[in-house]
């Protein structure tokens, strides 16, 4: 849920619950009535994770961007000068990442204070490791679904022949 210190409830569009929200370089100035207060936020990243079929990767990434564009605009209006990125992280059911997934993961892993040469090498390795893990989990999930399907279809075939 989007914290009210980032965007008050009355300014929220219908789609305001992304999978994650990341604040980069917020300037915290204290509390007011139990709520955090910021004087500025340099950048906000809004992200959503989705699995889809191989042929709908681009469509799914576009849907995520379209879904959270009103939220990004509301944040920009409430926090003038704040950069807002929408990060779709989309994997196909067979483990293929969308090109925006690689960019999104790289953006998430980027730390602005690292020197560029260290940043590029470290980020590429981390992104590759994450994509490999996501691919492994996707394949395991697909195998599990096929196992359940085969088990149920065998049971249905046995029951109908009896």
């Amino acid at each position: 849920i989007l914290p009210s210190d980032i965007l008050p409830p009355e300014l929220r569009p219908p789609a305001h619950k992304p999978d994650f929200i990341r604040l980069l370089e917020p300037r915290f100035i204290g509390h007011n009535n139990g709520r955090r207060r910021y004087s500025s936020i340099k950048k906000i990243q809004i992200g959503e994770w989705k699995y889809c079929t191989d042929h709908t990767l681009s469509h799914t990434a576009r849907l995520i961007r379209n879904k959270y564009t009103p939220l990004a605009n509301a944040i920009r209006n409430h926090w003038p000068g704040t950069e807002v990125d929408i990060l779709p992280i989309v994997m196909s059911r067979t483990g293929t990442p969308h090109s925006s997934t690689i960019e999104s993961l790289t953006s998430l892993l980027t730390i602005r204070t690292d020197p560029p040469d260290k940043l590029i090498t470290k980020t590429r390795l981390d992104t590759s490791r994450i994509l490999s893990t996501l691919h492994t989990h996707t394949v395991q999930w697909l195998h599990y679904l096929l196992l359940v399907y085969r088990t149920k279809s065998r049971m249905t075939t046995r029951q109908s022949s009896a």
Side-chain angles (χ1 to χ4, degrees), residues 6-71:
I6 304 302
L7 192 63
E10 62 273 8
L11 299 177
R12 294 179 188 162
H16 65 273
K17 296 179 181 179
D19 289 337
F20 65 87
I21 298 169
R22 180 182 183 204
L23 308 180
L24 294 172
E25 299 181 35
R27 293 188 188 264
F28 179 70
I29 58 173
H31 288 85
N32 183 14
N33 296 330
R35 291 174 54 189
R36 293 181 186 183
R37 290 188 45 220
Y38 299 99
S39 61
S40 68
I41 301 171
K42 186 162 186 164
K43 185 175 192 175
I44 296 177
Q45 295 175 322
I46 300 168
E48 180 115 330
W49 300 76
K50 291 283 186 204
Y51 282 103
C52 63
T53 58
D54 287 327
H55 62 279
T56 61
L57 282 166
S58 294
H59 178 70
T60 304
R62 198 173 330 107
L63 285 175
I64 292 170
R65 282 193 183 93
N66 292 344
K67 179 179 179 181
Y68 291 111
T69 295
L71 176 60

Side-chain angles (χ1 to χ4, degrees), residues 1 3 8 18 41 48 56 64 86 126 130-131 142 146 148-149:
I1 296 177
I41 301 171
E48 180 115 330
T56 61
I64 292 170
I86 300 170
D126 290 342
I130 289 169
L131 287 172
L142 184 60
L146 288 171
V148 169
Y149 171 76

Side-chain angles (χ1 to χ4, degrees), residues 74-87:
I75 292 171
R76 284 185 195 105
N77 291 337
H78 188 69
W79 294 95
T82 298
E83 188 181 333
V84 182
D85 291 340
I86 300 170
L87 305 176

